[in-house]
Amino acid sequence: MLTDAPVPAAVTPTHCPYCSLQCGMGLRAAAGADGGLDVVPRDFPVNRGALCGKGSSAPALLSRGLRLTEPLVRRPATGLLEPATWEEALELVAERLGSVRQGYGADAVGVFGGGGLTNEKAYALGKFARVVLGTSQIDYNGRFCMSSAAAAHQRAFGVDRGLPFPLEDVARTGCVILAGSNLAETMPPAVRYLRELRENGGKLIVIDPRRTKTAEQADLHLAPRPGTDLALALGLLHLVVAQGRVDEEFIRERASGWEAARAAVMAHWPELVEKITGVPVPQLRTAVAMFCDAPDGMVLTARGAEQHAKGTDTVGAWINFCLATGRAGRPLSGYGCLTGQGNGQGGREHGQKADQLPGYRKLTDPAARAHVAGVWGVEPDSLPGPGRSAYELLDALGDDVKALLVMGSNPVVSAPRAAHIEGRLRELDFLAVADVVLSETAELADVVLPVTQWAEETGTMTNLEGRVLLRRAALTPPEHVRSDLEVLNSLAEMLGSESTAKGFPVDPEEVFEELRLASAGGAADYSGISYARIEAEDGVFWPCPEEGHPGTPRLFLDRFATEDGRARFVEVAHREPDEETDADYPVVLTTGRVLAQYQSGAQTRRVPELNAAAPGAYVEMHPLLAGRIGVGDGDPVTVTSRRGRATAPARVTGAIRSDTVFMPFHWAGEGRANNLTNPALDPVSKMPEFKACAVRVERAGPAT
């Protein structure tokens, strides 16, 4: 029967532009003449239709008033960024990068990528750096995300995938230890799995120096002093050994290296660990009982445990804990890392990272070089070797590295010792930035290239589960906005030749088809994944080595990815934070995120709804500390470290340790928390020590 009912507007299935959950959503044209989009629920396995405020307000990022819509070039006459044509902007980028390369050598040109780039863009950027520019100097902001967990994964299991199981398994295990994560604010839709865990009779242990919204949901909250997570993990494993709870059969059949790891653990007896961490011995014993009494269990870590100069060893200690209790390589058990950035997983798998080639291949492996070079049509010897890690690259700007191309990152806000890094950026001979907004880093550039964002382009992302997803374009970008793939194609032709440019297609599916070939046989093997499969199957889990392969939602059930198939214990011991408190800097600063903002805030700070909810930085402190320095809630305070200072209002609460202050890191200006943070690097992962540094806290204005 015909009716006059209106035809529903077409809905484009896609994914949120923010964190590594990559929540499913739908987009359709909004009513009215402004050409906007509305978000509609989508029943996707990860979020089951739920979204946080960032996801539901994401279309605001597409507004012409918030985003870049034309290229900008810094005019010598005025020193200001002014509109330019694409031809002028690209020619200037190519000319300046080429002249630096010719004058100083290929490694004088650097490339800095982002964990929000699609797999296609991350792959093309790594290829561009190594084939067109010939530089080894490429890394990305994901180095600041889960590099310590990645390194520990590789050491213990032979492969790095954030979660070796789907999120749905979290709700069905017996006990979860959540170390250094505030899921309720960083990934709100994932909290349902913790809630379902407890509804199913499971236990939740949260480790955090603050009593966060996540910690409030826990059966047990442990609040260690920042920088002592490694000692805590070792103390819990000591108790496992002392209480005879080690799964000897599992170790005998599926792991190696236990004796050395066990000997190291025995030096961390409970009373010593209490002295180091501030966590009482009875709480340590309760945690071990909760975990070991459950039939199965998981340890999940995030940046709070990982962003330290000993982050790799800290994650290694948690993996040792899982292995010793037999909670690995079995259903509903294991260690996992909660990746932060939207494509933090895929972004490092396919070539942005300084030491890796596509498929998670090692740049130093001759066979890996030969395989990828064959796909790229170049000689293996032409590929440069490993370059500097992210902070080391940024620290070298203006000295060894004279020119820099940045895609999708804002290190002026996100890097440790940020004022110093801002200074290094200013020392460059040339800086080009491709981004969707005029970030604080873009404001320093000589050329700014406006590029498409999530709803304007198609491409794949890999979420924290290792599930490869497909974002679909829902609308046409503004007239003078181009995709990153188009930018790389044009620069490849200008810096190389027309034949070189053919190696940089602008069609994302064509790029993905090449990525499949380049990844084939690697640890992160995507060769059996296609756009059609992703769309039909709600994503495909890697490794997926052939088209008939079902994908691998759960790793390690039969064997680990090491040469002998056995997991490796790693011998680790506690060491103090790189920077300890003293009379001049008596308080520990830790940093993190808040619900309404994301990463450096370059995008979320431009969304009115989100900015209203979280308009600026603050310093969270305990009433005892506030009383000692004579401040009340809302009073301005100055936090000073050995590297710089930041000023923001006090937020006084009993939900934090009295020897610790917390600052969110989303803001620039006088509240820039990363002015303070310590760039001391983990020797394995090169992760900076964001989460613990010594500071002095003082009242910055009159008391209330």
Side-chain angles (χ1 to χ4, degrees):
M1 179 178 178
L2 298 176
T3 70
D4 293 328
V7 177
V11 174
T12 301
T14 189
H15 295 271
C16 177
Y18 293 112
C19 80
S20 67
L21 283 181
Q22 284 300 285
C23 293
M25 62 165 62
L27 294 175
R28 68 182 175 200
D34 61 357
L37 292 173
D38 285 335
V39 172
V40 296
R42 180 184 173 199
D43 187 18
F44 190 75
V46 172
N47 60 309
R48 304 180 204 164
L51 291 170
C52 72
K54 292 187 290 291
S56 61
S57 65
L61 295 172
L62 304 166
S63 168
R64 288 177 178 269
L66 299 181
R67 54 91 54 82
L68 292 165
T69 56
E70 57 186 343
L72 303 173
V73 168
R74 192 171 301 280
R75 304 296 181 186
T78 65
L80 302 176
L81 286 170
E82 298 179 6
T85 65
W86 269 100
E87 290 69 24
E88 179 188 9
L90 288 171
E91 286 175 2
L92 181 56
V93 173
E95 188 276 324
R96 297 296 298 277
L97 294 183
S99 64
V100 167
R101 182 178 60 177
Q102 184 175 3
Y104 297 97
D107 277 357
V109 180
V111 176
F112 199 82
L117 300 181
T118 63
N119 288 318
E120 292 81 1
K121 293 192 285 188
Y123 170 82
L125 186 61
K127 180 181 178 182
F128 176 81
R130 296 181 173 102
V131 172
V132 178
L133 297 175
T135 182
S136 67
Q137 301 303 300
I138 175 173
D139 211 69
Y140 83 128
N141 61 18
R143 179 77 68 169
F144 300 156
C145 180
M146 62 173 291
S147 58
S148 291
H153 256 125
Q154 291 277 14
R155 289 198 310 194
F157 303 135
V159 69
D160 158 39
R161 199 178 86 185
L163 293 182
F165 39 72
L167 269 170
E168 65 186 44
D169 286 4
V170 172
R172 300 189 294 131
T173 191
C175 182
V176 169
I177 294 178
L178 190 62
S181 171
N182 182 13
L183 272 182
E185 295 205 57
T186 59
M187 299 178 179
V191 175
R192 72 188 315 150
Y193 296 102
L194 302 181
R195 184 174 63 251
E196 290 172 8
L197 164 76
R198 299 187 68 205
E199 291 171 352
N200 292 335
K203 301 293 185 181
L204 175 63
I205 302 169
V206 171
I207 300 171
D208 198 302
R210 306 163 61 220
R211 187 162 181 79
T212 63
K213 293 179 181 178
T214 307
E216 289 174 354
Q217 301 186 38
D219 296 282
L220 177 65
H221 172 215
L222 308 181
R225 190 171 186 262
T228 64
D229 306 78
L230 176 53
L232 179 62
L234 292 167
L236 294 179
L237 183 49
H238 178 107
L239 285 169
V240 168
V241 176
Q243 295 175 8
R245 290 178 174 265
V246 174
D247 190 332
E248 302 285 358
E249 181 180 358
F250 175 86
I251 294 173
R252 189 166 52 251
E253 294 179 355
R254 302 202 58 190
S256 59
W258 169 234
E259 290 305 317
R262 180 184 184 278
V265 160
M266 298 319 292
H268 301 80
W269 60 93
E271 291 75 16
L272 174 63
V273 170
E274 176 180 323
K275 182 178 179 181
I276 294 170
T277 66
V279 178
V281 171
Q283 290 189 6
L284 300 176
R285 296 185 185 279
T286 299
V288 168
M290 279 187 180
F291 193 79
C292 292
D293 288 348
D296 32 54
M298 300 174 178
V299 174
L300 306 178
T301 69
R303 308 303 81 74
E306 301 160 12
Q307 286 182 323
H308 298 275
K310 55 181 180 294
T312 302
D313 282 354
T314 300
V315 174
W318 282 117
I319 292 175
N320 286 352
F321 180 79
C322 289
L323 294 174
T325 54
R327 265 63 168 183
R330 292 175 172 173
L332 304 181
S333 290
Y335 165 78
C337 168
L338 299 171
T339 308
Q341 294 190 80
N343 203 30
Q345 182 71 52
R348 70 183 177 282
E349 292 170 0
H350 300 301
Q352 281 191 104
K353 206 170 173 216
D355 55 354
Q356 287 178 190
L357 289 169
Y360 225 128
R361 288 181 161 90
K362 294 181 179 179
L363 193 51
T364 54
D365 179 359
R369 294 170 66 88
H371 174 84
V372 174
V375 174
W376 288 351
V378 299
E379 292 298 319
D381 290 345
S382 71
L383 298 178
R388 293 176 173 89
S389 70
Y391 183 80
E392 293 170 317
L393 172 57
L394 295 171
D395 191 39
L397 300 180
D399 293 330
D400 296 335
V401 179
K402 304 293 186 180
L404 184 69
L405 172 63
V406 177
M407 279 193 163
S409 186
N410 188 21
V412 166
V413 177
S414 64
R417 199 184 173 197
H420 169 71
I421 296 305
E422 180 179 345
R424 301 316 301 162
L425 285 160
R426 294 181 184 275
E427 291 297 315
L428 284 166
D429 290 0
F430 180 74
L431 172 63
V433 174
D435 210 330
V436 300
V437 297
L438 190 66
S439 69
E440 285 77 12
T441 302
E443 289 176 351
L444 303 180
D446 298 288
V447 177
V448 180
L449 303 174
V451 290
T452 52
Q453 55 179 301
W454 110 106
E456 300 164 344
E457 60 185 12
T458 294
T460 61
M461 307 285 280
T462 305
N463 80 344
L464 77 172
E465 307 167 296
R467 188 194 303 253
V468 185
L469 310 164
L470 183 63
R471 285 182 178 174
R472 287 286 193 190
L475 80 170
T476 302
E479 180 182 2
H480 299 297
V481 171
R482 298 184 183 180
S483 75
D484 300 82
L485 295 179
E486 291 177 289
V487 170
L488 295 175
N489 172 276
S490 297
L491 291 177
E493 182 175 358
M494 293 176 177
L495 288 163
S497 64
E498 184 177 347
S499 61
T500 304
K502 290 180 180 178
F504 293 85
V506 299
D507 175 45
E509 189 166 8
E510 188 176 346
V511 178
F512 189 79
E513 289 301 305
E514 183 179 303
L515 183 158
R516 292 174 65 185
L517 297 176
S519 75
D525 192 332
Y526 284 32
S527 57
I529 304 175
S530 65
Y531 276 27
R533 279 197 65 181
I534 296 171
E535 193 166 27
E537 300 174 25
D538 276 341
V540 181
F541 292 85
W542 70 260
C544 184
E546 57 190 25
E547 292 188 6
H549 192 280
T552 314
R554 296 170 180 86
L555 296 173
F556 314 140
L557 296 182
D558 299 318
R559 69 187 308 276
F560 294 96
T562 55
E563 290 184 2
D564 60 5
R566 300 172 72 87
R568 305 185 189 101
F569 282 95
V570 179
E571 181 182 355
V572 294
H574 171 69
R575 57 185 187 273
E576 294 296 326
D578 177 79
E579 182 176 82
E580 297 187 63
T581 56
D582 57 22
D584 293 325
Y585 301 96
V587 178
V588 180
L589 168 73
T590 192
T591 64
R593 285 171 49 191
V594 298
L595 177 62
Q597 301 289 355
Y598 179 70
Q599 302 302 82
S600 75
Q603 296 182 48
T604 52
R605 284 187 275 116
R606 289 169 165 80
V607 178
E609 175 185 334
L610 301 177
N611 211 38
Y618 59 86
V619 182
E620 184 176 288
M621 66 180 68
H622 193 275
L624 290 176
L625 176 58
R628 284 200 298 271
I629 64 174
V631 302
D633 198 61
D635 286 343
V637 296
T638 295
V639 184
T640 306
S641 76
R642 294 178 174 89
R643 289 154 297 281
R645 63 175 53 198
T647 299
R651 184 170 294 184
V652 182
T653 172
I656 189 170
R657 291 175 55 97
S658 61
D659 58 2
T660 301
V661 294
F662 166 83
M663 289 189 72
F665 55 72
H666 309 289
W667 288 274
E670 65 177 7
R672 182 168 59 179
N674 277 320
N675 284 349
L676 309 165
T677 47
N678 188 356
L681 301 181
D682 182 294
V684 180
S685 68
K686 304 301 182 181
M687 167 71 80
E689 187 145 278
F690 284 102
K691 285 296 188 282
C693 71
V695 298
R696 179 172 63 251
V697 185
E698 301 166 297
R699 183 165 58 86
T704 56

